[in-house]
Amino acid sequence: LIKAIILFDKNPKNVRIKTHKGDYMFIIISGPSGVGKNTIIEELLKRNDNLKYLMSCSTRKPREHEIGKGYIYLNFDEMQTKLENGELFEHEEIHGNIYGTLNSSVQDIIEGKHDYIKDLGVLGQKYYVSRLKDKVKIVSIYLTCPKDEVEKRLVERGEKEVEKRLERFDFEESHKGNFDYVIENIDLGETVEFIESKIYPKGNLWKKGQKNI
């Protein structure tokens, strides 16, 4: 039984393309709320030393397990100030909150000191690809699963705005054709292994305790 169903694959030969900045990449994870984006990212970060999380700003209140990591949490006035000062590379309103990435953080991607990974909305993914595709290798991955399963997961994690998050499901799904890979995330282990096989194929490993060869 295949529990991580690969719905779309633009790179079936696992070719890791080098750029003029070196063999580093920016990995974008997108998908509706409840499909497991943060869980997948956390697991990939645990398993790969060279992979770093790209911090961004959010007006959303942190969940208990997120305090001290994940986002730079701002109130709306602070976010508005950064917007007015031109400090944000991009921003997007999702579920009534504003998410955005600082220009200084994006510069870290371009300088190519590490591979970076980030969860982005579907509009954010489109913007990053259009602005950075000639400066760094971008791999974009869309995670999905059945809508009733998404609802179940949101309820189980204690989400208070389930209906609001489900309202965006169809909008997110309508953009999945813009991604390099579309994965139905049913099993965590199989999804992580597939992603690793694409971003770190044999001969390009940065696993825990291993050197890039």
Side-chain angles (χ1 to χ4, degrees):
L1 177 63
I2 300 175
K3 296 181 181 179
I5 303 173
I6 315 309
L7 304 178
F8 186 69
D9 184 344
K10 286 185 180 178
N11 185 21
K13 294 183 179 180
N14 295 4
V15 178
R16 179 164 178 160
I17 303 172
K18 293 187 177 183
T19 72
H20 66 283
K21 287 291 184 181
D23 195 20
Y24 292 98
M25 65 172 67
F26 178 44
I27 302 148
I28 297 171
I29 305 290
S30 295
S33 291
V35 296
K37 298 185 295 294
N38 290 333
T39 303
I40 294 296
I41 288 173
E42 288 174 4
E43 190 64 23
L44 288 167
L45 288 169
K46 287 179 188 176
R47 292 163 58 119
N48 298 282
D49 279 335
N50 194 64
L51 187 60
K52 307 298 179 184
Y53 184 76
L54 185 73
M55 294 286 286
S56 62
C57 304
S58 175
T59 59
R60 174 174 67 75
K61 292 183 178 180
R63 303 179 185 119
E64 287 186 12
H65 69 282
E66 292 178 329
I67 296 175
K69 63 179 182 179
Y71 291 103
I72 300 168
Y73 292 99
L74 305 173
N75 59 41
F76 279 95
D77 289 339
E78 291 171 329
M79 184 70 84
Q80 186 62 37
T81 297
K82 290 191 179 296
L83 285 168
E84 292 173 356
N85 292 340
E87 296 179 53
L88 296 181
F89 175 77
E90 57 82 31
H91 70 281
E92 183 177 357
E93 182 177 341
I94 302 175
H95 307 307
N97 286 296
I98 300 173
Y99 297 79
T101 309
L102 295 170
N103 289 319
S104 56
S105 296
V106 174
Q107 190 60 36
D108 290 338
I109 302 174
I110 296 171
E111 290 177 357
K113 296 179 180 178
H114 301 282
D115 288 335
Y116 282 92
I117 190 167
K118 177 65 184 163
D119 53 312
L120 289 171
V122 291
L123 298 183
Q125 177 266 351
K126 186 176 181 179
Y127 185 76
Y128 268 87
V129 171
S130 67
R131 290 287 303 276
L132 298 181
K133 62 183 178 181
D134 296 326
K135 298 178 181 179
V136 66
K137 169 62 180 173
I138 297 177
V139 177
S140 60
I141 299 165
Y142 184 90
L143 300 178
T144 187
C145 68
K147 195 171 186 178
D148 57 346
E149 176 64 21
V150 167
E151 182 175 9
K152 177 183 175 183
R153 293 180 185 181
L154 291 173
V155 170
E156 288 178 347
R157 81 180 189 192
E159 180 59 57
K160 296 179 181 179
E161 300 178 322
V162 173
E163 290 303 319
K164 180 186 287 189
R165 293 180 178 275
L166 288 176
E167 286 174 4
R168 190 177 167 90
F169 183 92
D170 293 334
F171 171 76
E172 300 268 358
E173 290 282 296
S174 70
H175 288 78
K176 63 187 178 183
N178 296 328
F179 290 77
D180 297 312
Y181 307 104
V182 178
I183 305 172
E184 186 170 335
N185 180 34
I186 305 300
D187 181 86
L188 169 66
E190 291 191 15
T191 298
V192 169
E193 287 182 7
F194 174 79
I195 294 173
E196 284 188 327
S197 75
K198 294 298 179 179
I199 62 176
Y200 296 133
K202 187 175 181 180
N204 287 280
L205 295 177
W206 277 296
K207 297 282 191 176
K208 292 289 184 183
Q210 292 182 305
K211 295 180 179 180
N212 184 30
I213 56 175

